[in-house]
Amino acid sequence: MEVGRLPISATLRGKLISSGYTTLSSLASVSPSDLARELEISNNEAFEVLKFASHGSGLDRSDGSGAIVNGAETAWDMLHKEQFISRITTSCADLDNLLGGGVNSSEVTEIGGVPGIGKTQLGIQLAVNVQIPGAFGGVGGKAVYIDTEGSFMVERALQIAEACIEDMSDYSILLKKNAIPHQIQMEPKDILKNIYYFRVCSYTEQIALINYLDKFITEHKDVKVVIVDSVTFHFRQNFDDLALRTRLLSEMALKLMKLAKKFSLAVVLFNQVTTKFAEGSFQLTLALGDSWSHSCTNRIILYWNSDERYAYLEKSPSLRSASAPYSVTFRGIRNSTSSNKRTKMM
């Protein structure tokens, strides 16, 4: 089969042929990242091209490029998808490095910590940063922000949006020096318009909204992050039936996991802390109990070390546990002062 018959756009077919990819066999050994770079297309577009090419070959290949049963997914398919999973920057290089490049799409990430540690600040930062265009290394999506505590501050969102555009402007100047022109066509008001805000005042409203998200995101496919700040609040208030609470939380977590996978978006759940008696003393731990701790793919604990904020990656399927410092500044989440000092000394 010729690549000219693939069900892709004429522009993509033209780029393939111009680059020498005229048959499906010529695409068999190329990686998605190499194809994206050579054709100057996005990673997602490259993945789609290779997926169509694989199916178009008509072969049930042992390398896992085709599913044996309709609807199945092989480990090889999953590995290829992993290479294209986008990440949302936190605007803190140390925190991004801790997370393997940023907050992972297609996964549920739980972030917890004591009051005043910067959970809401980080949530607003992610709601803004998810909108950074692909030309500037971002996702180019929109955000759903679910506020259960009334802590969202639109004035703060505006400050962070203004700082984000300034950062992109600085990056654009750097690109121009390298003869790669990129123009910023966003204003702070555009960023605010792309944050869909929901205020929920009870756990029943929270559950109803989570159930509604599938329909909402189907109608707004450019949503790339769902933030719940916090998932805990209404489930700690006057909830005597713990068995019912556990069941409702498990059902909600399962629906959020399905949303993350179905729409390839990041789900970020902020949690509160509580005390737990262990090894003869009381220790701080994230709320909602041990069963809830298994509901998320990644778990991050924010804490104070003297007068400096730190993030500890407690749980991840692919990253080692480690800590990283961060700061909450007027411009939003940034590298800590001590980290900047270390960078200048090196």
Side-chain angles (χ1 to χ4, degrees):
M1 180 179 176
E2 302 284 340
V3 297
R5 296 175 60 188
L6 289 175
I8 57 179
S9 69
T11 301
L12 280 178
R13 287 198 296 269
K15 288 185 176 182
L16 283 169
I17 295 172
S18 299
S19 299
Y21 297 105
T22 57
T23 64
L24 297 184
S25 59
S26 64
L27 292 168
S29 59
V30 64
S31 70
S33 57
D34 288 341
L35 185 65
R37 183 169 55 254
E38 188 172 354
L39 270 59
E40 297 183 349
I41 60 178
S42 69
N43 285 339
N44 286 336
E45 287 177 315
F47 178 73
E48 287 298 313
V49 169
L50 294 179
K51 182 179 72 173
F52 285 129
S54 175
H55 292 325
S57 65
L59 298 176
D60 182 16
R61 291 160 41 176
S62 60
D63 63 0
S65 60
I68 297 173
V69 179
N70 185 31
E73 185 177 31
T74 68
W76 181 254
D77 294 330
M78 295 169 66
L79 180 62
H80 274 281
K81 284 185 178 180
E82 285 285 335
Q83 298 173 351
F84 296 110
I85 289 178
S86 57
R87 297 177 185 272
I88 305 169
T89 179
T90 64
S91 291
C92 171
D94 290 335
L95 189 50
D96 282 350
N97 291 336
L98 179 73
L99 299 173
V103 175
N104 211 342
S105 297
S106 301
E107 293 181 351
V108 178
T109 299
E110 179 186 22
I111 303 174
V114 297
I117 196 66
K119 299 188 294 295
T120 297
Q121 303 282 337
L122 180 54
I124 295 174
Q125 187 76 64
L126 293 172
V128 169
N129 286 1
V130 73
Q131 302 180 49
I132 297 175
F136 294 89
V139 178
K142 297 181 180 180
V144 167
Y145 200 106
I146 301 173
D147 183 5
T148 68
E149 302 183 29
S151 56
F152 181 86
M153 300 163 287
V154 68
E155 296 84 1
R156 185 64 174 136
L158 178 60
Q159 290 175 348
I160 294 176
E162 290 171 342
C164 180
I165 290 178
E166 290 175 5
D167 289 342
M168 286 192 289
S169 179
D170 293 340
Y171 185 58
S172 179
I173 293 173
L174 179 63
L175 290 176
K176 287 180 180 178
K177 290 181 179 179
N178 295 321
I180 309 175
H182 284 297
Q183 292 184 345
I184 303 171
Q185 299 179 343
M186 298 175 66
E187 296 182 9
K189 66 177 182 179
D190 299 321
I191 292 179
L192 296 186
K193 287 179 180 179
N194 290 335
I195 300 175
Y196 300 112
Y197 174 81
F198 295 89
R199 176 73 169 101
V200 296
C201 300
S202 67
Y203 78 87
T204 54
E205 286 185 13
Q206 185 171 331
I207 292 172
L209 178 55
I210 299 300
N211 292 336
Y212 169 66
L213 282 180
D214 191 298
K215 181 177 185 297
F216 182 84
I217 297 173
T218 299
E219 298 170 352
H220 302 80
K221 293 185 182 297
D222 43 7
V223 168
K224 293 302 176 185
V225 67
V226 173
I227 299 163
V228 184
D229 181 20
S230 69
V231 70
T232 325
F233 185 72
H234 295 305
F235 285 90
R236 297 183 73 184
Q237 307 293 320
N238 303 319
F239 218 116
D240 297 327
D241 191 340
L242 295 182
L244 174 61
R245 187 183 80 165
T246 299
R247 187 172 74 252
L248 292 176
L249 284 169
S250 297
E251 291 174 356
M252 185 174 64
L254 181 60
K255 289 173 182 175
L256 290 169
M257 289 180 191
K258 289 181 177 179
L259 280 177
K261 292 293 183 184
K262 179 178 179 179
F263 296 103
S264 298
L265 54 82
V267 174
V268 181
L269 308 177
F270 288 97
N271 198 349
Q272 300 173 347
V273 295
T274 186
T275 54
K276 179 180 180 181
F277 189 77
E279 299 179 359
S281 62
F282 287 97
Q283 301 174 2
L284 282 178
T285 185
L286 297 192
L288 299 181
D290 293 334
S291 59
W292 170 257
S293 66
H294 302 294
S295 301
C296 303
T297 312
N298 309 289
R299 190 175 229 204
I300 302 160
I301 299 176
L302 308 180
Y303 65 96
W304 289 99
N305 184 0
S306 297
D307 59 347
E308 191 166 26
R309 292 176 169 91
Y310 273 81
Y312 173 67
L313 182 63
E314 182 184 64
K315 174 187 174 184
S316 170
S318 58
L319 300 171
R320 65 180 181 86
S321 296
S323 295
Y326 68 97
S327 291
V328 178
T329 72
F330 178 79
R331 298 172 62 82
I333 304 298
R334 294 292 187 271
N335 279 353
S336 69
T337 304
S338 60
S339 177
N340 289 333
K341 287 180 180 177
R342 287 196 300 270
T343 302
K344 291 178 180 178
M345 292 173 63
M346 294 176 62

